Amino acid sequence: MKNSNTFKKVISHAKEYGFVFQSSEIYDGLSAVYDYGQNGVELKNNIKKYWWDSMVKLNDNIVGIDSAIFMHPTVWKASGHVGAFNDPLIDNKDSKKRYRADVLIEEHREKILVKINKDVAKAQKRFGDSFDKEQFLTTNGRIIARQKKIDKISERYQKALDNGNLHELKQIIIDYGISCPVSGSKNWTDVRQFNLMFDTRLGSLSEDADVIYLRPETAQGIFVNYLNVQKTGRMRLPFGIAQIGKAFRNEIVARQFIFRMREFEQMEMQFFISPGEEDKWFEFWKEKRIKWHLALGFGNDNYRFHDHEKLAHYASAASDIEFNFPIGFKELEGIHSRGDFDLTQHIKFSGKKIQYFDHKINKSYTPYVIETSIGLDRMFLSVLSMAYTEENIGKNNEKRVVLKIPPALAPIKVAVLPLLKKDGLPETAKKIFNEIKFDFNCQYEEKDSIGRRYRRQDAIGTPFCITIDHQTKIDNTVTLRYRDSMKQERLKINEVQRTISEKVLMKNLLN
Ligand code: ATP
């Protein structure tokens, strides 16, 4: 169901209903930069809260910070970003489109895997219960050939990445006949390295001023504050520091809506541990993070772990949580075992003693780090694309588009709707609205038929509607209408606040 057609629909729905707009749209937009609208900002804030609560509120050994976007330029030398934060880019000479060479190869490999999976699904259907997947995979000639191809690509690809061999990356693209998705041609330039950091100048006289960078990740703000937080918070290992904030990358491929942006937000947590405990904590955080995703109820099949073939310059182990976006399985979150790389680099470049005194063994050492790093905008996209549902309802083939966003994340929790704009119904409705608006985001609407108002609320993912009708005046009850089932029930006015509160609690996801 979820495919590129769905992706287009999600993008236009996001615009039409005030979730995401192209930045500077009246000037024809700015590539790979987006603004969040009136509903988008609410959804985004709720996702932030879901993450922040799960990290900072529920763990007494994790605290938060909010560090500045601008940092001392030496930070990025120490972190390795000045020297090594590059992507290998390649241009198609016919379409003039620019691609990441590594992404082209990975996508080609994924396409072969998709073909294998399709064959397996077909065979499974044909043979039914007697189907033996393992046997099929190891004996079917076509599958064996495809798997061999994947293995060969992986072997060459990994070697090329390990050796920084740009020539070989291009050769793989040529040898496997990978073509430009736009022009269809195989007319490629050489592969070149491209640094992803934006730079600017500090100070009023740009000629004399130092070059500084817009941070490409929030993590370094945590590392340089490690001592501040550890000392002032009297933190004992293991402990974590969490941060949500903007990051900037001059991405080469920027054609995938909010999946890959040049200005985006990250939610990162660095967990400081004693050396030697990294395997245990790496597994711990992998499990904890996948649980956080699964609690949203979008289905286990839509997530998978992907262990890195090539480790970043800082990592000793790394695993991504990939999500089944409408554009395929792609990275949503990274979990990295960073060893003592970052703190050691900052010790070297700053000359400061950044260590931990362990009272248990009476010794100082540099802690190791496990990092969890998730893109807020990618998380937003995962929620939006999973929530987007088209349904046939009623006998007349009537359609509705409904965003089945988990209630705790929904931008508006309840819409208060008088059935008619007369007979004192608006007054009663406004009274209810004015009472419950302190507890959660509500919307009051009286324009158009009740059916059209329900549709509008469905389209922005409002989980509950309260309708005030003539019976309300008789017995002080209202109709509670559920977004997903469209079921309706009567509810006493004095029970509205408590009933809705219980259903939209963040606790329902965090438990
Ligand atoms: P990719 O391989 O997709 O470029 P990455 O491995 O460079 O991602 P990390 O450096 O691990 O990404 O960043 C952590 C998280 O930040 C990613 O899992 C992703 O969710 C998010 N992220 C990274 N780059 C972008 C971007 N350009 N736009 C939106 N989110 C991003």
Side-chain angles (χ1 to χ4, degrees):
M1 187 190 86
K2 310 276 175 194
N3 52 32
S4 64
N5 202 22
T6 311
F7 196 40
K8 281 192 196 133
K9 286 182 182 171
V10 168
I11 295 170
S12 64
H13 190 87
K15 181 180 172 193
E16 193 180 341
Y17 287 93
F19 283 87
V20 182
F21 307 124
Q22 174 85 59
S23 157
S24 324
E25 198 188 318
I26 57 169
Y27 294 100
D28 294 334
L30 185 65
S31 166
V33 186
Y34 291 90
D35 298 337
Y36 286 84
Q38 67 278 17
N39 290 315
V41 67
E42 298 292 346
L43 173 57
K44 200 175 173 197
N45 283 341
N46 293 337
I47 295 173
K48 282 190 203 175
K49 185 168 164 47
Y50 178 38
W51 185 86
W52 191 264
D53 284 1
S54 79
M55 288 291 176
V56 178
K57 201 166 163 185
L58 297 189
N59 293 292
D60 55 11
N61 62 347
I62 299 182
V63 293
I65 62 164
D66 182 19
S67 70
I69 287 169
F70 291 142
M71 301 181 76
H72 194 286
T74 311
V75 167
W76 305 111
K77 288 192 186 126
S79 69
H81 284 81
V82 172
F85 195 51
N86 302 315
D87 275 344
L89 69 84
I90 189 166
D91 293 298
N92 183 265
K93 290 182 193 164
D94 298 316
S95 66
K96 308 274 182 265
K97 292 276 178 207
R98 183 160 283 180
Y99 298 91
R100 266 172 61 177
D102 55 336
V103 171
L104 280 179
I105 297 170
E106 281 173 17
E107 283 181 354
H108 183 71
R109 200 175 45 182
E110 182 70 20
K111 270 188 207 153
I112 306 175
L113 187 64
V114 167
K115 280 186 193 156
I116 293 183
N117 290 340
K118 265 191 190 152
D119 278 353
V120 170
K122 254 196 238 159
Q124 202 152 21
K125 216 167 165 191
R126 204 168 62 223
F127 295 116
D129 286 345
S130 64
F131 181 65
D132 181 340
K133 187 174 168 187
E134 209 42 53
Q135 193 191 355
F136 184 72
L137 287 176
T138 47
T139 54
N140 182 288
R142 205 160 59 173
I143 293 215
I144 292 173
R146 283 191 173 134
Q147 189 56 50
K148 263 198 185 143
K149 208 168 168 184
I150 291 180
D151 295 343
K152 187 72 199 156
I153 296 175
S154 300
E155 190 193 324
R156 284 181 66 182
Y157 174 56
Q158 189 172 348
K159 214 162 147 197
L161 289 179
D162 286 345
N163 300 331
N165 188 344
L166 302 182
H167 179 73
E168 170 68 355
L169 281 182
K170 177 173 178 183
Q171 202 53 48
I172 298 173
I173 291 173
I174 303 286
D175 290 351
Y176 287 92
I178 300 174
S179 54
C180 166
V182 176
S183 67
S185 94
K186 295 167 188 144
N187 195 8
W188 297 107
T189 62
D190 286 342
V191 177
R192 283 167 295 146
Q193 290 287 25
F194 177 78
N195 193 287
L196 298 177
M197 282 200 293
F198 285 101
D199 58 38
T200 183
R201 283 169 191 278
L202 197 66
S204 53
L205 288 173
S206 59
E207 293 86 346
D208 302 326
D210 284 325
V211 170
I212 56 165
Y213 298 100
L214 295 185
R215 67 179 177 200
E217 63 173 29
T218 57
Q220 296 306 321
I222 294 178
F223 291 123
V224 298
N225 277 298
Y226 159 79
L227 270 188
N228 285 336
V229 174
Q230 193 268 319
K231 293 220 161 105
T232 57
R234 301 193 305 150
M235 309 301 288
R236 296 266 164 266
L237 293 191
F239 76 91
I241 305 179
Q243 161 152 250
I244 300 176
K246 290 262 179 167
F248 304 82
R249 295 183 187 178
N250 200 359
E251 296 281 2
I252 301 163
V253 184
R255 291 186 278 277
Q256 291 163 322
F257 191 44
I258 57 172
F259 179 81
R260 194 174 295 287
M261 302 155 91
R262 298 203 162 106
E263 173 181 341
F264 60 102
E265 251 176 295
Q266 289 185 314
M267 307 191 284
E268 297 199 298
M269 195 277 301
Q270 311 294 328
F271 199 67
F272 298 93
I273 56 172
S274 304
E277 293 188 347
E278 57 275 19
D279 293 346
K280 178 180 94 181
W281 287 112
F282 184 61
E283 289 309 317
F284 174 89
W285 280 107
K286 271 175 75 175
E287 199 187 314
K288 202 129 165 126
R289 293 305 303 146
I290 193 74
K291 264 194 184 159
W292 182 88
H293 288 283
L294 293 178
L296 295 175
F298 294 142
N300 298 15
D301 290 351
N302 287 311
Y303 302 85
R304 70 182 187 198
F305 278 111
H306 167 78
D307 295 326
H308 283 213
E309 288 156 20
K310 173 171 166 50
L311 295 172
H313 59 274
Y314 54 76
S316 56
S319 189
D320 292 339
I321 294 176
E322 293 186 337
F323 180 75
N324 191 9
F325 288 98
I327 44 175
F329 268 100
K330 303 247 179 231
E331 173 177 344
L332 172 58
E333 169 158 9
I335 297 144
H336 309 128
S337 182
R338 295 177 80 122
D340 61 359
F341 175 82
D342 303 87
L343 291 182
T344 301
Q345 286 294 99
H346 288 305
I347 293 169
K348 220 192 298 173
F349 280 76
S350 70
K352 301 281 182 320
K353 190 170 176 250
I354 310 173
Q355 288 205 313
Y356 176 76
F357 182 74
D358 194 330
H359 291 276
K360 279 187 264 165
I361 54 172
N362 240 355
K363 235 174 103 178
S364 289
Y365 53 80
T366 309
Y368 274 28
V369 170
I370 306 294
E371 163 184 83
T372 72
S373 171
I374 175 171
L376 173 54
D377 312 270
R378 281 193 196 175
M379 187 62 204
F380 184 102
L381 181 59
S382 77
V383 172
L384 203 64
S385 52
M386 270 296 134
Y388 182 90
T389 314
E390 291 174 3
E391 280 180 354
N392 276 326
I393 50 165
K395 289 191 190 100
N396 308 329
N397 239 350
E398 198 193 332
K399 275 210 170 77
R400 74 162 180 163
V401 173
V402 50
L403 291 187
K404 297 191 172 177
I405 302 173
L409 301 186
I412 307 292
K413 309 300 188 203
V414 56
V416 183
L417 316 169
L419 184 64
L420 301 171
K421 237 190 321 184
K422 56 181 186 184
D423 302 335
L425 302 184
E427 286 73 11
T428 311
K430 273 190 191 145
K431 206 170 152 229
I432 296 175
F433 173 78
N434 282 325
E435 268 169 33
I436 60 175
K437 72 180 179 190
F438 295 99
D439 297 295
F440 26 75
N441 275 0
C442 312
Q443 223 170 52
Y444 174 84
E445 264 214 297
E446 58 179 30
K447 276 199 204 93
D448 295 329
S449 73
I450 192 71
R452 288 181 73 167
R453 279 179 278 166
Y454 283 155
R455 278 309 89 76
R456 278 206 295 271
Q457 294 299 331
D458 288 343
I460 61 168
T462 306
F464 306 105
C465 290
I466 296 286
T467 309
I468 290 82
D469 54 21
H470 290 97
Q471 204 183 321
T472 307
K473 288 179 136 186
I474 301 165
D475 62 5
N476 270 329
T477 63
V478 294
T479 303
L480 171 65
R481 184 239 187 209
Y482 291 81
R483 174 195 69 196
D484 297 350
S485 64
M486 295 189 292
K487 270 205 200 122
Q488 304 192 0
E489 62 193 34
R490 299 298 297 186
L491 186 69
K492 288 248 179 250
I493 289 180
N494 60 13
E495 283 173 7
V496 168
Q497 194 276 343
R498 187 184 52 82
T499 308
I500 307 280
S501 284
E502 276 172 10
K503 295 182 195 299
V504 301
L505 279 180
M506 200 59 85
K507 200 172 161 185
N508 298 339
L509 295 179
L510 290 166
N511 260 341

